[in-house]
Amino acid sequence: MPGREHVAPVRRDLRDFLHTPHHTRLKIPLTPSRFILMLPRLLLLTLALAGGLIARELPPLPPELADYPLKAAPEPVLRLQKGDRLAICGDSITEQRQYSVILETYLTACLPELEITCRQYGWSGERASGFLERVESDVLRFKPTVATTCYGMNDFRYVPYDEEIAGEFRENLTTLAGLFKSHGSRVVLGSPGIIDSVPHWVKEANGTQKDLNLALARFRNIAIEVSEAEDVGFADVYRPMLIADLRAKEAFGPEFKVAGKDGVHPGWAGHAIMAYAFLKGLGADGDMGSVTYDDSGATATSSGGHEVISAKEGIIRLRSRRLPFSPGQGDRTQDDSLRAGMSLVPFDDELNRFVLKIVSPAAATYTVTWGNSSKRYSAAQVEAGVNLAKDLVDHPLVANFKRVWDAVAAKQEYETRQIKNLVHGPEGQADLDASFALTEKARDRHVKAVAEALQPADHEIRITAVP
């Protein structure tokens, strides 16, 4: 497999070749020396195609959205590494501390072996230009190894698409990507999301809701173009939100607003979709481990951070050092529900697979019980593997997961206060470095609390053959 740093040039070569008219390609003489020079790139291109690293066309948009001009998004080119320090950057949607809490909790509880640490830098009303004014002082001083950005919502100024405004956004996003790269940080550029109504609190807003969403679609495309030009990652926030909003309104009525009741700031459903987009952009593979039960010998094995303590009479006792994403139950019909957002995108299927398999099933049907949740499966289903994290949501690991969630939420709340109120307040104006030094001591207590919240969890899965 070619290294990730080589994929983007290869991808550009392929794109340029495919966009070259056929008659022009035929005029390029393929001499022996030219062929030899082309071989390394051809080999990389072949390997990249085999690995699925070239951008693939997504399924077409629903007919109702066919006039939205959405470019094909590139495949993720970034993979999280052990010890990464993640900076989560953005405007007031980031400062809501919802998708950012989902992200950090997921990385902490679901991928503990990577030992990733996070900082949240949301700032209400901010554009990419404003972030550029503070990124070195607020963010780069802590030497992040990876960063996510989510700009464009304020940058497009809530008006129909304007080429001059778009050009300014492109320039700022390009500068931002280059700045992170120059400091050794990989970066994932998140697209803006959608709006659900023209915001009444933006006095200069004009145009219809669709006018503005069409403009945001083109700002999304700009983020893709910058990510390709700068060889950095991309997170497609816009497309899944657009489709989810349509499907949710069809299922639950017009009051379900993926982008939030004020039209711009999502509730938990929208933030779950945003987190899905960023986790995909960060290359998360969704493997939360597995448990395999041999019905013929009443034995069990496990993988992915789960240890089998005992297996007897269909009861598997486990100790888990990795938690699946476990927010518990929720109303899937409401836009302030995390579960609603998770069900509007393939969150569990792609990012949250804790799989149970039964080898040599002796019964035609089984009931699997995990905590307060039970579900009946056919022998064929359990032999193929079932996703307990998706099917049995009221399980014993929910409480352990909530402890991590609460610690992360408290830490991120302090990070907003640290940056906005203290470092950028009178204390920071008097002595910036001293303000950072002092506030870091307070933040360290929250960092420690997050680490202490993640403890091994003992639980059991019961497998009962149905007569």
Side-chain angles (χ1 to χ4, degrees):
M1 181 67 65
R4 296 278 169 177
E5 69 275 13
H6 300 302
V7 169
V10 173
R11 186 166 54 214
R12 284 201 303 272
D13 285 353
L14 177 64
R15 184 176 64 243
D16 294 344
F17 177 75
L18 293 177
H19 290 173
T20 300
H22 181 67
H23 65 275
T24 304
R25 293 181 213 153
L26 294 177
K27 292 179 181 179
I28 301 173
L30 188 60
T31 63
S33 59
R34 182 182 294 274
F35 179 75
I36 291 171
L37 289 172
M38 287 174 62
L39 273 176
R41 280 288 174 89
L42 288 170
L43 177 60
L44 283 172
L45 178 57
T46 302
L47 291 171
L49 284 167
L53 297 174
I54 302 301
R56 290 195 294 263
E57 293 287 345
L58 292 169
L61 289 168
E64 300 93 329
L65 305 174
D67 56 342
Y68 281 76
L70 301 187
K71 290 173 62 72
E75 287 291 300
V77 297
L78 186 147
R79 288 292 181 272
L80 292 167
Q81 300 170 7
K82 186 170 184 177
D84 264 336
R85 299 180 297 277
L86 172 63
I88 305 170
C89 312
D91 53 29
S92 58
I93 297 172
T94 304
E95 194 189 335
Q96 285 182 270
R97 300 188 300 274
Q98 290 180 273
Y99 87 81
S100 62
V101 167
I102 297 171
L103 271 183
E104 184 172 357
T105 305
Y106 184 101
L107 297 176
T108 302
C110 305
L111 301 175
E113 70 279 5
L114 292 182
E115 299 175 0
I116 294 170
T117 56
C118 303
R119 290 174 182 264
Q120 179 273 137
Y121 289 101
W123 193 294
S124 58
E126 191 166 65
R127 300 174 183 170
S129 56
F131 183 61
L132 281 170
E133 294 177 0
R134 68 184 183 93
V135 62
E136 292 198 54
S137 174
D138 292 357
V139 183
L140 295 176
R141 72 165 55 232
F142 295 112
K143 298 179 173 57
T145 60
V146 62
T148 61
T149 68
C150 193
Y151 290 99
M153 184 59 72
N154 295 317
D155 301 78
F156 95 113
R157 304 182 194 178
Y158 302 96
V159 298
Y161 183 77
D162 181 288
E163 195 65 54
E164 183 177 347
I165 295 172
E168 179 183 336
F169 177 63
R170 183 188 299 273
E171 181 179 351
N172 288 330
L173 210 58
T174 300
T175 302
L176 185 57
L179 189 58
F180 274 116
K181 289 196 300 180
S182 70
H183 283 75
S185 178
R186 294 117 64 216
V187 61
V188 173
L189 301 178
S191 76
I194 65 168
I195 65 165
D196 247 309
S197 61
V198 178
H200 64 86
W201 37 268
V202 180
K203 301 306 180 186
E204 67 272 24
N206 64 75
T208 66
Q209 178 182 337
K210 184 168 183 179
D211 289 336
L212 301 192
N213 274 327
L214 287 170
L216 284 166
R218 298 179 72 175
F219 272 61
R220 165 201 179 267
N221 293 345
I222 290 171
I224 291 176
E225 292 161 5
V226 172
S227 74
E228 292 177 331
E230 295 297 316
D231 297 343
V232 299
F234 172 73
D236 194 351
V237 174
Y238 184 95
R239 192 181 196 276
M241 287 188 76
L242 182 70
I243 297 172
D245 196 56
L246 173 68
R247 296 304 184 217
K249 284 178 169 56
E250 290 174 345
F252 310 123
E255 290 308 307
F256 193 111
K257 297 182 183 297
V258 163
K261 297 303 187 189
D262 71 355
V264 174
H265 297 91
W268 281 110
H271 277 278
I273 298 167
M274 292 184 69
Y276 164 83
F278 279 108
L279 287 168
K280 297 289 287 184
L282 290 166
D285 67 10
D287 182 4
M288 299 292 107
S290 65
V291 178
T292 301
Y293 181 71
D294 188 336
D295 200 19
S296 64
T299 59
T301 58
S302 59
S303 67
H306 309 280
E307 176 189 357
V308 174
I309 304 301
S310 66
K312 184 178 180 181
E313 297 178 350
I315 301 175
I316 306 169
R317 291 189 171 87
L318 298 161
R319 178 163 296 149
S320 294
R321 290 173 173 79
R322 163 186 277 173
L323 305 178
F325 192 81
S326 309
Q329 300 184 62
D331 189 341
R332 298 171 191 263
T333 71
Q334 299 298 316
D335 58 24
D336 62 352
S337 165
L338 187 55
R339 278 289 169 192
M342 291 173 67
S343 67
L344 288 169
V345 291
F347 191 102
D348 286 316
D349 292 333
E350 297 182 5
L351 293 172
N352 194 33
R353 300 183 305 277
F354 179 47
V355 176
L356 171 69
K357 293 184 179 182
I358 298 181
V359 176
S360 304
T365 309
Y366 291 86
T367 296
V368 178
T369 301
W370 191 25
N372 296 321
S373 294
S374 295
K375 186 170 181 177
R376 184 171 292 190
Y377 298 101
S378 69
Q381 288 176 313
V382 291
E383 196 167 23
V386 295
N387 185 0
L388 299 185
K390 179 180 181 179
D391 295 345
L392 307 178
V393 300
D394 189 9
H395 57 73
L397 300 184
V398 171
N400 300 73
F401 185 84
K402 186 177 186 303
R403 282 195 288 272
V404 179
W405 178 285
D406 289 346
V408 166
K411 181 181 75 68
Q412 289 198 13
E413 182 179 12
Y414 180 77
E415 287 166 346
T416 296
R417 179 168 177 260
Q418 176 191 27
I419 297 298
K420 291 193 69 175
N421 302 118
L422 300 174
V423 170
H424 283 269
E427 296 84 356
Q429 292 174 6
D431 192 329
L432 182 63
D433 291 335
S435 294
F436 266 116
L438 180 62
T439 56
E440 278 298 284
K441 291 180 180 179
R443 180 182 175 275
D444 284 345
R445 292 197 293 270
H446 290 289
V447 173
K448 184 179 180 182
V450 171
E452 291 176 345
L454 183 61
Q455 297 293 329
D458 290 352
H459 56 113
E460 65 181 39
I461 298 169
R462 293 175 176 263
I463 301 170
T464 306
V466 179

